[in-house]
């Protein structure tokens, strides 16, 4: 069964990076408690928007049942933040959530 095929409007998992995704699946099987804390996320939307993560960072807030993300210059983000998405080796935060006041 294809991923998401039972959901209306969902598409199948992409055919590329199969070996990589299989390795990630094995990590989640090894650490099942992580399955509710983490997810594999694509940066496709950010790449299409030409986000430069060396200069910009995503900052998110919750409004009702929506998550709103804006991309800001790294130097302009001065409130306390909680990192939501790290790059592959945890050397740079790609996406922040503003900490509650």
């Amino acid at each position: 069964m294809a991923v998401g095929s039972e959901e209306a409007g969902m598409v199948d998992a992409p055919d590329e990076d199969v070996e990589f995704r299989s390795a990630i699946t094995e990590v989640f099987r090894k650490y099942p408690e992580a399955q509710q804390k983490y997810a594999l996320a694509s940066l496709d939307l950010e790449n299409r928007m030409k986000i430069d993560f060396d200069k910009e960072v995503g900052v998110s807030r919750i409004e009702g049942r929506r998550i709103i993300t804006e991309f800001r210059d790294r130097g302009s983000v001065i409130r306390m933040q909680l990192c939501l998405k790290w790059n592959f080796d945890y050397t740079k935060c790609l996406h922040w959530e503003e900490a509650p006041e």
Side-chain angles (χ1 to χ4, degrees):
M1 175 184 262
V3 175
S5 63
E6 70 280 356
E7 299 285 332
M10 296 292 287
V11 297
D12 295 337
D15 291 333
E16 69 265 4
D17 302 323
V18 173
E19 188 174 326
F20 170 75
R21 288 186 292 111
S22 294
I24 297 297
T25 299
E26 288 306 313
V27 170
F28 277 115
R29 286 188 179 131
K30 184 175 180 180
Y31 301 98
E33 68 282 359
Q35 293 177 19
Q36 297 303 313
K37 290 175 62 177
Y38 302 101
L40 183 61
S42 167
L43 295 175
D44 186 56
L45 293 175
E46 291 88 342
N47 289 333
R48 282 193 264 160
M49 292 174 63
K50 298 185 182 349
I51 300 300
D52 181 349
F53 285 112
D54 287 332
K55 298 176 182 173
E56 301 172 89
V57 65
V59 179
S60 293
R61 67 185 180 280
I62 297 171
E63 291 184 3
R65 298 279 304 155
R66 296 172 46 190
I67 299 171
I68 310 297
T69 302
E70 299 173 311
F71 291 90
R72 301 180 189 163
D73 291 335
R74 285 185 174 274
S76 71
V77 180
I78 55 176
R79 287 192 54 200
M80 184 175 171
Q81 305 125 358
L82 308 169
C83 190
L84 299 172
K85 292 181 188 175
W86 292 92
N87 67 338
F88 73 98
D89 65 356
Y90 286 89
T91 58
K92 182 182 297 169
C93 183
L94 305 180
H95 192 147
W96 296 99
E97 174 187 17
E98 292 183 350
E101 293 187 30

